[in-house]
Amino acid sequence: MALTSSDVQTLAHLTQIRLEPDSLNDLACTLSQFADAAESIREIATNGSEPLISPLEITQRLRADTVSEENLRELYQSIAPATEDGLYLVPKVLD
Amino acid sequence: MHQQTLAQQSQALAKGDYSARELTSHYLQRIEQFDSQLNSFIAVTTEQALAQADAADAARKSGTVTSLTGVPLAHQDVFCSQGTRTSCGSKMLDNFIAPYNAHLLEQLQLAGSVSLGKTNMDEFAMTATGQSSFYGPTSNPWDALRISGGAASGSAVAVAAGLVAASTACDTFGDLRLPAAHNGLTGLKASYGRISRFGMTANASSFDQAGFITRTAEDAALLLQVAAGFDTRDSTCSQDTVADYNSSLNQPLSGLRIGIARCLFDASVDSRIADLVLASAGQLQQLGAILIDIELPHSAQSMACASIIGSGEASTNMSRFDGVRFGYRCADPADLDDLYQRSRGEAFGPAVQQRIMLGTHFLSANQYEDYYVQAQRVRRLIKQDLTSAFGQVDLILTPVTAALPRTASKTADPVSDWSCQRYTALANLAGLPALSMPCGQVDGLPVGTQLLAPWLQEARLLNAAHQYQQATDWHHSRPNGF
Amino acid sequence: MQWETVIGLEIHAQLATKTKIFSGSSSAFGAAPNSQACAGDLAMPGTLPVLNEEAVRMAYLFGLAVDAEIGEVSRFDRKNYFYPDLPSGYQTSQMDLPIVGKGHMDITLEDGSTKRIGITRAHLEEDAGKSLHEDFSGMTGIDLNRAGSTLLEIVSEPELRSAKEAVAYARAIHSLVQYLGVCDGNMAEGSFRCDCNVSIRPVGQEEFGVRAEIKNVNSFRFIERAINSEIRRQIEVLEDGGTLVQQTRLYDPAKDETRAMRSKEEATDYRYVPCPNLLPVVIERSYLEQLRTTLPELPVQKRERFQSEFSLSAYDASVLTASRAMADYYEQVQKTCGDAKLAANWVMGELSSLLNKDSLEIGQSPVSAEQLGGLLVRIKDNTISGNIAKTVFEAIAQGEGCADDIIEKRGLKQVTDSGAIEAILDEMLAANAAEVEEYRTADENRRSRMFGFFIGQAMKASRGKANPQQVNQLLRQKLEG
């Protein structure tokens, strides 16, 4: 299945990655190669085989509702790009 | 000292042949001597290592010891190491000082091991070449002109070059077992759920599992004994009892049924490699194993499956790297979109960007049913093939990969570089434990053979590999000059 | 053109778990920014989700209370989008296999009739953090304390036909989740938020019109106004010949209008995918049956019981069972004084006025149920009159103690001794001799008005303490006699 530059632009937008305009064609080419390599999956008869989501055959374990985390804000924010008054700063968001 | 296996070092330390400090210093000196040409370490934590070594020596004096007390290890930089940089081979996390330890590292530390540092890896483990790290490629000590294999390139090369006796690594589609094989080493991927994934940066969450790169199966057993077990922080971590891996190492192999799927040994495999792998089967037969032909009808789909589901899971796992709370942030973002797009655009290498976009493509509304869900259905069929085969056999033997490592200078063909994992990916697709071990050389380059076992049957795997290694020499080979 | 409104509500109820849905961080309200955001909440590398058992229990309890179908298996999926209050870049929610399936909620309409509103499903998901837009010179501050908190999203069928119905439904769900103890319903703190999906269609048309989603409306008053303003807007657009676009909107209470959200893109592909870090949630039927036995008396049941047991009107029962806290308060008062009607009158009257005056919730009442009950006991045993009781009530509210303390301290005991009352009356009548003369020669009408005057004078003379019934009786005797 071939992906176009336009497809790549859409993907770049969805994945929030800035790409150089002159890289779009090559990228489309590479992605198309990967997509082609995966194309064979469509021919396989699965006879209603259920999709496998986890290789484990166990169910979800439940955790007791007790506080187990402490306030480590100082530690976590020591590696943050931008904070003020304990808040993470990002360029102003409009809604 | 560096010629010894981990098990031998453990015994030597116990006997007092040398101290942990001496052993650690020896390795640190070798790293300084050799690693500039190999680039297998991203970070060497010298002071910490010596402090840990001293602590281990003190502990030994006071009598609190385990089999790993004072034993130096190296850790793939995919595992969070508290207080030190955990980069995943990426500019995105070049400034990330992990605030916590991965469960695996915690366990190994508690057992008194020494951490020499963090090893180099393909960026976010998204290629299998050893060429795509932000910190530069890792050199193959067997042939500097060839790729080392990846993603756990540094973990493999460091052991091969005698810079550490064993290292930890993560395996998603074979990126632990492949570089192990290319470097003449033993690579063990545990069963999915056997080792907690807490603190191991996620690539493809239903495939990722931790393991070890060592010289011997015996060493892997030692490490697995400490690492395996329940952790409340990982919902996918099994509560099943941990086996005694060491005690079963020496069980004779008579009657062990080993399955061979002939379809995996077709013309697409370098015939010299195929011969060596089949010879390893012959060797196991000589040790008492019975070889049985099995069918794995859907195995040809392993890469398509892994590619679709793996890239899909990876794409969503990578969204957290957005320049907001940690990691790389671009300079002077104009607005929120600019913050996201330039942070991710500038900090992710091309292979990572490709994988994220490929995964997003398969998860998109138009592709989801036909590709992603279809791949999940085929994944179940692949798993069923293996389960069904294990109804007739106890282990399955396959090649690790179809070709020798290519030359580094050759223009990369991303798809073929990626497809070298088609035999190893079978284990990750089904969540099974698997091990690669050296079984010969072609043109002076190591070749590995792979064994797969049923879920949680690492003991059986390690037993077979150990017996093989008692009868053969390949695991003793070292690259020249190291 | 006759238009029909079609409304569906998506209610986000923050479940009253102590910790978040997938991490062991506290979910208590009001903590310092980012002091309750652990590595997992911050989506740091290698962190993993583990499901909170209370979240599961509360979700199932809600399902049982709305008679919902509950499947054996439910699963978590990732909803992918980028926003700074969403650390992992995806929200872990439930798409194909929600924990609670189809159920229903009965609502009472204004005319007293009942309407059954279908509930499509309810699912568990994690909440996002909060953005603070002021005070950061061109930047937005992000607080992730709320990120990862447990939400139960309750989705109604598009069966509501007016803003009033929507409010009735929202109130009913609000009441229910508090009754169950699964949500504190504190809308000011954001524990209970409504997204209103509104569309219109010509009466008789089966196809739904283009809908607008009004997000995060957090008061019942605003729900009603937002929906009505949106209906007006949609009608205006269509009647002007325009077309509507499916979009997300916000309600602006100051302007009483909705506006399109600037940042939301339409038809975003969320690329839902099952979360590989979480496994299928499976329950035994026996667990559900055991859980069912823990269901408290539900609002409808309590309302019916109040009507039958306490002979209250449907209206009174409805008001008194509006919240569990109110119902519990009322029952305590009733139990203490033994008079259901008296208790109802005071709770719905004096007490409600007091609470409304200072915008207090029943839980913040300065007069406890025991205190009110104690006051009513003193009315019933004639220790004080109804009027004096109001004074005592205010004093209790001021913190002066219980009814008996205040009556004692201020000497407010009702005078019931007929001799004493007669003496007061004789004195009062003597002082008003002219009016007495007038009374005796006046007609019916004039008499009844003047009687009121004399009662007033008598109460004044006795400083309100004379028993009103006795005053009435004795005064009549004296005036007639």
Side-chain angles (χ1 to χ4, degrees), chain B residues 308-323:
Chain B
I308 295 168
I309 305 171
S311 64
E313 288 184 355
S315 73
T316 142
N317 281 332
M318 296 300 285
S319 297
R320 66 193 59 210
F321 301 114
D322 56 10

PDB file of all heavy atoms in Angstrom, chain B residues 308-323:
ATOM      1  N   ILE B 308       3.079  -4.400  12.293  1.00  0.00           N
ATOM      2  CA  ILE B 308       1.819  -3.671  12.425  1.00  0.00           C
ATOM      3  C   ILE B 308       1.490  -3.404  13.889  1.00  0.00           C
ATOM      4  O   ILE B 308       1.280  -2.269  14.302  1.00  0.00           O
ATOM      5  CB  ILE B 308       0.672  -4.447  11.758  1.00  0.00           C
ATOM      6  CG1 ILE B 308       0.903  -4.536  10.246  1.00  0.00           C
ATOM      7  CG2 ILE B 308      -0.670  -3.783  12.046  1.00  0.00           C
ATOM      8  CD1 ILE B 308      -0.010  -5.527   9.539  1.00  0.00           C
ATOM      9  N   ILE B 309       1.434  -4.471  14.683  1.00  0.00           N
ATOM     10  CA  ILE B 309       1.051  -4.301  16.085  1.00  0.00           C
ATOM     11  C   ILE B 309       2.144  -3.560  16.855  1.00  0.00           C
ATOM     12  O   ILE B 309       1.876  -2.660  17.651  1.00  0.00           O
ATOM     13  CB  ILE B 309       0.786  -5.655  16.761  1.00  0.00           C
ATOM     14  CG1 ILE B 309      -0.254  -6.454  15.977  1.00  0.00           C
ATOM     15  CG2 ILE B 309       0.300  -5.440  18.197  1.00  0.00           C
ATOM     16  CD1 ILE B 309      -0.421  -7.880  16.463  1.00  0.00           C
ATOM     17  N   GLY B 310       3.380  -3.957  16.604  1.00  0.00           N
ATOM     18  CA  GLY B 310       4.502  -3.340  17.306  1.00  0.00           C
ATOM     19  C   GLY B 310       4.601  -1.850  17.052  1.00  0.00           C
ATOM     20  O   GLY B 310       4.798  -1.064  17.980  1.00  0.00           O
ATOM     21  N   SER B 311       4.474  -1.443  15.810  1.00  0.00           N
ATOM     22  CA  SER B 311       4.582  -0.010  15.522  1.00  0.00           C
ATOM     23  C   SER B 311       3.354   0.713  16.084  1.00  0.00           C
ATOM     24  O   SER B 311       3.469   1.841  16.569  1.00  0.00           O
ATOM     25  CB  SER B 311       4.745   0.254  14.027  1.00  0.00           C
ATOM     26  OG  SER B 311       3.606  -0.160  13.310  1.00  0.00           O
ATOM     27  N   GLY B 312       2.197   0.070  16.035  1.00  0.00           N
ATOM     28  CA  GLY B 312       0.993   0.684  16.605  1.00  0.00           C
ATOM     29  C   GLY B 312       1.156   0.947  18.093  1.00  0.00           C
ATOM     30  O   GLY B 312       0.905   2.056  18.573  1.00  0.00           O
ATOM     31  N   GLU B 313       1.591  -0.073  18.830  1.00  0.00           N
ATOM     32  CA  GLU B 313       1.787   0.106  20.271  1.00  0.00           C
ATOM     33  C   GLU B 313       2.877   1.126  20.545  1.00  0.00           C
ATOM     34  O   GLU B 313       2.756   1.970  21.444  1.00  0.00           O
ATOM     35  CB  GLU B 313       2.144  -1.241  20.917  1.00  0.00           C
ATOM     36  CG  GLU B 313       0.961  -2.196  20.986  1.00  0.00           C
ATOM     37  CD  GLU B 313       1.277  -3.504  21.706  1.00  0.00           C
ATOM     38  OE1 GLU B 313       2.453  -3.722  22.081  1.00  0.00           O
ATOM     39  OE2 GLU B 313       0.339  -4.302  21.885  1.00  0.00           O
ATOM     40  N   ALA B 314       3.954   1.060  19.789  1.00  0.00           N
ATOM     41  CA  ALA B 314       5.056   2.006  19.988  1.00  0.00           C
ATOM     42  C   ALA B 314       4.590   3.440  19.742  1.00  0.00           C
ATOM     43  O   ALA B 314       4.933   4.352  20.500  1.00  0.00           O
ATOM     44  CB  ALA B 314       6.219   1.665  19.068  1.00  0.00           C
ATOM     45  N   SER B 315       3.789   3.625  18.711  1.00  0.00           N
ATOM     46  CA  SER B 315       3.370   4.991  18.394  1.00  0.00           C
ATOM     47  C   SER B 315       2.619   5.626  19.558  1.00  0.00           C
ATOM     48  O   SER B 315       2.839   6.785  19.892  1.00  0.00           O
ATOM     49  CB  SER B 315       2.523   5.034  17.119  1.00  0.00           C
ATOM     50  OG  SER B 315       1.240   4.500  17.338  1.00  0.00           O
ATOM     51  N   THR B 316       1.749   4.837  20.211  1.00  0.00           N
ATOM     52  CA  THR B 316       1.023   5.441  21.326  1.00  0.00           C
ATOM     53  C   THR B 316       1.904   5.581  22.562  1.00  0.00           C
ATOM     54  O   THR B 316       1.822   6.554  23.307  1.00  0.00           O
ATOM     55  CB  THR B 316      -0.338   4.755  21.631  1.00  0.00           C
ATOM     56  OG1 THR B 316      -0.566   4.702  23.027  1.00  0.00           O
ATOM     57  CG2 THR B 316      -0.458   3.394  21.072  1.00  0.00           C
ATOM     58  N   ASN B 317       2.836   4.648  22.756  1.00  0.00           N
ATOM     59  CA  ASN B 317       3.748   4.750  23.897  1.00  0.00           C
ATOM     60  C   ASN B 317       4.655   5.965  23.811  1.00  0.00           C
ATOM     61  O   ASN B 317       5.160   6.449  24.825  1.00  0.00           O
ATOM     62  CB  ASN B 317       4.605   3.499  24.006  1.00  0.00           C
ATOM     63  CG  ASN B 317       3.859   2.336  24.643  1.00  0.00           C
ATOM     64  OD1 ASN B 317       2.957   2.546  25.447  1.00  0.00           O
ATOM     65  ND2 ASN B 317       4.222   1.119  24.272  1.00  0.00           N
ATOM     66  N   MET B 318       4.902   6.439  22.607  1.00  0.00           N
ATOM     67  CA  MET B 318       5.848   7.543  22.427  1.00  0.00           C
ATOM     68  C   MET B 318       5.205   8.926  22.569  1.00  0.00           C
ATOM     69  O   MET B 318       5.891   9.940  22.563  1.00  0.00           O
ATOM     70  CB  MET B 318       6.504   7.438  21.039  1.00  0.00           C
ATOM     71  CG  MET B 318       7.341   6.189  20.852  1.00  0.00           C
ATOM     72  SD  MET B 318       8.702   6.074  22.016  1.00  0.00           S
ATOM     73  CE  MET B 318       9.788   7.274  21.307  1.00  0.00           C
ATOM     74  N   SER B 319       3.894   8.964  22.710  1.00  0.00           N
ATOM     75  CA  SER B 319       3.227  10.265  22.782  1.00  0.00           C
ATOM     76  C   SER B 319       3.556  11.034  24.050  1.00  0.00           C
ATOM     77  O   SER B 319       3.420  12.253  24.095  1.00  0.00           O
ATOM     78  CB  SER B 319       1.708  10.085  22.678  1.00  0.00           C
ATOM     79  OG  SER B 319       1.362   9.541  21.432  1.00  0.00           O
ATOM     80  N   ARG B 320       3.986  10.320  25.094  1.00  0.00           N
ATOM     81  CA  ARG B 320       4.303  10.995  26.355  1.00  0.00           C
ATOM     82  C   ARG B 320       5.527  11.900  26.228  1.00  0.00           C
ATOM     83  O   ARG B 320       5.750  12.756  27.086  1.00  0.00           O
ATOM     84  CB  ARG B 320       4.539   9.959  27.445  1.00  0.00           C
ATOM     85  CG  ARG B 320       5.784   9.091  27.211  1.00  0.00           C
ATOM     86  CD  ARG B 320       5.807   7.895  28.136  1.00  0.00           C
ATOM     87  NE  ARG B 320       4.618   7.095  27.926  1.00  0.00           N
ATOM     88  CZ  ARG B 320       4.040   6.369  28.873  1.00  0.00           C
ATOM     89  NH1 ARG B 320       4.537   6.325  30.067  1.00  0.00           N
ATOM     90  NH2 ARG B 320       2.955   5.683  28.601  1.00  0.00           N
ATOM     91  N   PHE B 321       6.328  11.700  25.197  1.00  0.00           N
ATOM     92  CA  PHE B 321       7.539  12.509  25.018  1.00  0.00           C
ATOM     93  C   PHE B 321       7.140  13.745  24.225  1.00  0.00           C
ATOM     94  O   PHE B 321       7.151  13.746  22.987  1.00  0.00           O
ATOM     95  CB  PHE B 321       8.615  11.680  24.319  1.00  0.00           C
ATOM     96  CG  PHE B 321       8.975  10.430  25.078  1.00  0.00           C
ATOM     97  CD1 PHE B 321       8.691   9.167  24.569  1.00  0.00           C
ATOM     98  CD2 PHE B 321       9.557  10.510  26.333  1.00  0.00           C
ATOM     99  CE1 PHE B 321       8.998   8.007  25.279  1.00  0.00           C
ATOM    100  CE2 PHE B 321       9.869   9.357  27.057  1.00  0.00           C
ATOM    101  CZ  PHE B 321       9.578   8.109  26.533  1.00  0.00           C
ATOM    102  N   ASP B 322       6.795  14.791  24.994  1.00  0.00           N
ATOM    103  CA  ASP B 322       6.173  15.961  24.367  1.00  0.00           C
ATOM    104  C   ASP B 322       6.790  17.273  24.805  1.00  0.00           C
ATOM    105  O   ASP B 322       6.261  18.337  24.502  1.00  0.00           O
ATOM    106  CB  ASP B 322       4.671  15.968  24.701  1.00  0.00           C
ATOM    107  CG  ASP B 322       4.417  15.939  26.201  1.00  0.00           C
ATOM    108  OD1 ASP B 322       5.377  16.103  26.985  1.00  0.00           O
ATOM    109  OD2 ASP B 322       3.255  15.758  26.609  1.00  0.00           O
ATOM    110  N   GLY B 323       7.892  17.218  25.546  1.00  0.00           N
ATOM    111  CA  GLY B 323       8.568  18.440  25.965  1.00  0.00           C
ATOM    112  C   GLY B 323       7.881  19.190  27.091  1.00  0.00           C
ATOM    113  O   GLY B 323       8.250  20.324  27.394  1.00  0.00           O
TER     114      GLY B 323
END
